[in-house]
Amino acid sequence: MAVTEVTALRLSPVQKNFLLRSGRSSMEAAVRKQTPPSPDTSDPILLQPCGAFVTLTISGELRGCIGFFEPIYPIVEAVWRSAVKAALDDHRFAPVRPAELHRIGIEISLLSPKVSVEATSDIVIGRDGLYLETGSAKWLLLPQVATEYGWDADTFLLHLFRKCEILPVPIGTPGVAVYRFSAEIFSDPPESPRTPPLTQSGKPR
């Protein structure tokens, strides 16, 4: 998929493949109650801290989506942790079952640092995701959500408040902070070959 804005990452196809295969291998092992494999890489890009989300789908329908907004883990670790949590810990869904694994599509979103939103006009659909922070809650919507549903900026912001389960208030209201962020987004369809995670050299381990 697309890069919604320059994120300073610009991963190569080999790096994206490595992350997708590592995320899938970790997810499948966790669902089967096995120990997830440890990704083997010394790639300095993939060892940078970065926020990351993993979205799981079946036939285009959401099956789980969890991640880390803040860059608290290296990219490769954030991806495998998110893949496992999306499969097992998304409270909106029952845990993924082994029988579903062959139908699961994986999408990875690597997040840029957040930028404060001062007005709705700051939000660019197709580029920005939104992050809402209050004293009691933190929620986000990824950039691709607004594009998939055909929302404009006002509607995108409204759905963010709904997700956070608070009444919409004007941007700039004390105690309610709205941020935008971009993402590098790429995916692995369910029919992709099941292969081991890549090593740094791009060859199967």
Side-chain angles (χ1 to χ4, degrees):
M1 293 182 70
V3 179
T4 59
E5 191 179 62
V6 175
T7 62
L9 288 173
R10 299 289 180 174
L11 298 185
S12 70
V14 168
Q15 290 168 324
K16 292 178 182 179
N17 234 4
F18 175 86
L19 292 175
L20 288 164
R21 292 182 181 183
S22 295
R24 185 176 292 280
S25 295
S26 298
M27 175 196 69
E28 292 183 345
V31 169
R32 294 186 174 114
K33 302 187 184 305
Q34 301 167 351
T35 302
S38 177
D40 177 16
T41 183
S42 58
D43 187 325
I45 299 297
L46 300 185
L47 294 176
Q48 291 182 33
C50 183
F53 271 71
V54 171
T55 303
L56 307 180
T57 58
I58 292 182
S59 300
E61 297 295 322
L62 184 64
R63 187 63 180 84
C65 181
I66 287 183
F68 303 94
F69 184 75
E70 301 293 345
I72 58 176
Y73 295 111
I75 292 172
V76 65
E77 184 175 352
V79 166
W80 74 253
R81 285 180 178 271
S82 297
V84 170
K85 290 175 70 67
L88 301 181
D89 297 335
D90 191 328
H91 64 85
R92 297 169 295 180
F93 304 96
V96 170
R97 294 173 286 108
E100 296 178 282
L101 289 173
H102 71 286
R103 302 171 57 207
I104 294 281
I106 295 181
E107 181 177 82
I108 295 173
S109 300
L110 302 181
L111 311 186
S112 73
K114 63 187 179 185
V115 178
S116 181
V117 172
E118 306 298 333
T120 307
S121 58
D122 293 343
I123 302 167
V124 176
I125 299 300
R127 181 195 71 185
D128 296 333
L130 294 179
Y131 177 78
L132 178 66
E133 184 174 326
T134 72
S136 59
K138 298 177 181 179
W139 290 98
L140 65 76
L141 289 172
L142 295 170
Q144 55 269 45
V145 175
T147 303
E148 290 170 0
Y149 286 97
W151 295 338
D152 60 17
D154 289 309
T155 306
F156 195 15
L157 190 59
L158 176 62
H159 279 276
L160 179 64
F161 279 101
R162 287 179 177 173
K163 184 174 183 180
C164 201
E165 297 184 343
I166 64 174
L167 292 175
V169 296
I171 292 175
T173 298
V176 179
V178 179
Y179 301 92
R180 63 178 178 87
F181 61 93
S182 59
E184 184 163 4
I185 306 163
F186 47 100
S187 59
D188 173 29
E191 64 271 17
S192 293
R194 298 292 185 267
T195 52
L198 295 178
T199 61
Q200 180 194 8
S201 65
K203 297 180 180 179
R205 201 165 37 161

